[in-house]
């Protein structure tokens, strides 16, 4: 493991209080380099979403070390972790996670609201992001007026709009049809690359995983390959 | 900037229409009850005090005694005049002498009381005639009297016509009735039943007593200056003779007690209002907690796109503050309207008091924010983990 890794996990374990005898994650160690694109593969219940939540600082491990850009994240306060998440991470969810009462444009602008950005600049950037994902002209559409593929494009635009260091995608194509599945995955990969963001995609689909140069395979909470 | 903030909160609340409306409604009702009860209480207090002050609150009863003085060396009229001059707050003074002799009408006793007074007693007690005329200072040599309305009715029932011009026998003296008074509520403080009283002129005093008057009725201008006036009257008698002991009675003690009772009554109403406000606060807290449960996905999304827990806390506190202030303002309007309608119903004059409105707004905001804080804190602690596909 290089010292300059973007993300570095050392012996990470996660035990939930409800089943202490079966750790959700055990002894996970790997690193992610800047701009690297990785698939996190595993069957349902293998612990991949738990790992994603730890990577995205939505949860804390029971033991182990997590370094981000060389800083030990687990030594930070919850407030500092939330700040780090805000500055460097973006999420794409299987069910899109769009605010139903916001238009496509408002959904993409939302991250700027919490960064106290200038509203006019936020509109310009959000429109550009929507254009990048092929949704120019659909800025004023509410999520219920968009197809599944289009909703995921809005979610991708929202993830990219603040130029994060890491994009964490949780089964981003699982809710889509065959045609959209490849299109959306290609789009995420391409835009992550052009935005210099590392991409970690959680999937149970080996076809999806095969498109990535590197696969992290999880089984029963343990890393099979890293 | 403020417009942008308000607009943003308004948009969020619009999206939560039903829950926001329920919260708002709860607060409007709570606040209206608090303000309405307090306003009605204050209006009732105002009416009762107004009614009370219409009675004998501006009257003083003074008697002066001295063991050393067997016969007063002063003429009643002079003494009364000097007493009236003893303090600028005294508007009028009248000497008073109670006649203990039995009163007869056509040789039959009547249920009546006789008093000898100066003519200034009539304006002091606001007495006026229904029939005939009042006694005048010029009547001093005439054996005239004026009687109260109930006594006049009794006499009329006996003889079948107005008693004007008829004679009353008091002791050995005969007096012609020259006036009948209108019914009067005043004088109860002096233990006078005006409606059954026979009034004689002060000039008649020597016929019933060999001393001068030592009892007075005084009307004062300003009730708030009562303690000073009392002191001046005591000083006045002490200057005449240190042996004179004066006793001054007034209704101010009674008024103070009534005011105390009124304050307790207002506190009771305020307590009921505050309890209802707290009840509304708890209701609002419940609605907000339910609202947060249904808004969990939204909170989770906000947290994953960059919101910090404190941003969520502030957002929900802003919404609570907006609802609370709107609820308080609408509640004050509704509470005052309720008070106005009740005043109309009870035929009271309505007065707008700042206290219920100000206190209502303040307490509503304090209660709203206090009960809004916990749901807001709970919202800020939502874990966005559930947004992930499977954990």
């Amino acid at each position: 493991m290089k010292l300059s890794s973007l993300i570095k996990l050392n012996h990470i374990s996660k035990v939930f209080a409800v089943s202490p005898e079966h750790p959700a994650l055990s002894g996970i160690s790997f690193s992610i380099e800047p701009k690297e694109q990785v698939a996190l593969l595993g069957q349902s219940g293998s612990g991949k979403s738990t790992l994603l939540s730890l990577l995205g600082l939505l949860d804390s491990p029971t033991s182990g070390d997590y370094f981000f850009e060389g800083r030990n994240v687990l030594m930070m306060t919850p407030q500092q972790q939330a700040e780090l998440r805000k500055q460097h991470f973006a999420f794409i969810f299987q069910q899109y996670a769009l605010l139903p009462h916001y238009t496509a444009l408002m959904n993409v602008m939302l991250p700027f609201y919490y960064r106290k950005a200038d509203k006019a600049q936020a509109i310009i950037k959000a429109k550009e992001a929507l254009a990048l994902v092929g949704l120019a002209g659909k800025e004023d559409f509410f999520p219920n007026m968009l197809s599944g593929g289009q909703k995921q494009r809005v979610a991708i635009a929202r993830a990219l709009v603040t130029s994060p260091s890491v994009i964490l995608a949780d089964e981003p194509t699982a809710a889509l049809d065959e045609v959209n599945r490849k299109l959306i995955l290609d789009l995420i990969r391409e835009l992550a690359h052009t935005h210099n963001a590392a991409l970690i995609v959680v999937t149970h689909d080996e076809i999806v995983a095969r498109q990535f140069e590197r696969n992290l395979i999880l089984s029963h909470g343990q890393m099979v390959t890293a | 900037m403020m417009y942008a903030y308000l607009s943003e909160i308004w948009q969020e609340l619009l999206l939560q229409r039903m829950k926001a409306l329920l919260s708002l409604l709860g607060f409007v009702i709570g606040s209206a009850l608090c303000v309405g009860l307090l306003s009605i209480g204050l209006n009732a207090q105002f009416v009762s005090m107004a009614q009370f002050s219409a009675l004998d609150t501006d009257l003083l009863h003074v008697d002066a005694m001295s063991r050393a003085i067997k016969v007063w060396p002063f003429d009643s009229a002079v003494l009364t005049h000097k007493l009236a001059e003893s303090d600028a707050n005294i508007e009028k003074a009248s000497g008073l002498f109670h006649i203990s002799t039995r009163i007869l009408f056509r040789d039959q006793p009547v249920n009546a009381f006789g008093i000898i007074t100066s003519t200034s007693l009539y304006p002091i007690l606001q007495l006026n005639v229904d029939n005939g005329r009042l006694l005048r200072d010029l009547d001093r040599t005439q054996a005239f009297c004026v009687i109260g309305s109930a006594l006049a009715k009794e006499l009329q029932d006996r003889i079948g016509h107005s008693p004007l011009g008829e004679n009353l026998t008091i002791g050995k003296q005969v007096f012609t009735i020259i006036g009948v008074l209108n019914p009067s509520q005043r004088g109860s403080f002096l233990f006078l039943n005006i409606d059954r009283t026979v009034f004689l002129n002060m000039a008649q005093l020597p016929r019933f007593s060999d001393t001068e008057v030592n009892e007075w009725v005084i009307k004062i201008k300003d009730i708030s200056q009562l303690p000073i006036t009392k002191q001046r009257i005591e000083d006045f008698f002490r200057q005449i003779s240190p042996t004179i002991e004066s006793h001054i009675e007034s209704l101010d003690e009674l008024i103070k007690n009534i005011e105390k009772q009124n304050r307790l009554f207002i506190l009771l109403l305020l307590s009921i209002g505050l309890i209802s406000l707290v009840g509304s606060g708890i209701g609002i807290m419940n609605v907000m907690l339910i609202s947060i449960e249904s808004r969990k996905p939204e909170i989770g999304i906000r947290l994953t796109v960059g919101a910090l827990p404190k941003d969520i806390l502030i957002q929900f506190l802003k919404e609570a503050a907006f609802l609370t202030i709107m609820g308080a303002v609408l509640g004050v309007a509704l509470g005052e309207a309720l008070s106005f309608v009740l005043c109309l119903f009870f035929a009271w004059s309505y007065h707008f008091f700042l206290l219920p409105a100000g206190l209502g707004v303040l307490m509503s905001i304090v209660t709203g924010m206090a009960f809004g804080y916990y749901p807001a804190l709970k919202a800020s602690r939502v874990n966005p983990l559930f947004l992930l596909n499977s954990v």
Side-chain angles (χ1 to χ4, degrees), chain B residues 139-150:
Chain B
D139 295 329
R140 52 192 305 125
T141 56
Q142 305 290 325
F144 289 159
C145 69
V146 169
I147 62 172
S149 60

Side-chain angles (χ1 to χ4, degrees), chain B residues 81 109 244 267 280 283 337:
Chain B
H81 179 72
I244 297 176
L267 277 177
S280 312

Side-chain angles (χ1 to χ4, degrees), chain A residues 120-139:
Chain A
Q121 283 295 311
I123 291 172
I124 292 167
K125 284 189 178 178
K127 280 185 175 174
E128 283 173 3
L130 281 170
L132 270 177
V133 297
L135 288 179
K138 297 204 184 298
E139 290 88 353

Side-chain angles (χ1 to χ4, degrees), chain A residues 49-50 52-53 58-59 79 82-83 85-86 91 93-94 97 99 101-102 110-111 113-115 158 170-171, chain B residues 8 12 15 298 301-311 315 318 383-385 387-391:
Chain A
S49 289
T50 303
L52 191 76
S53 71
L58 298 176
D59 202 0
Q79 174 74 17
E83 282 287 352
R85 184 172 70 227
K86 176 176 162 180
F91 296 84
F93 299 101
Q94 180 184 334
L99 293 181
H101 48 276
Y102 276 25
L110 192 60
Y113 177 80
Y114 296 108
R115 287 162 176 81
R158 185 180 64 190
D170 184 34
E171 305 272 14
Chain B
E8 173 206 325
E12 286 301 329
L15 296 165
E298 177 203 327
I301 291 166
R302 287 180 185 276
L303 286 167
T304 56
V305 300
L308 300 177
K310 71 168 184 189
D311 294 323
Q315 179 191 335
K318 275 186 200 167
N383 193 326
L385 214 55
L387 290 171
L388 295 175
N389 178 36
S390 61
V391 177

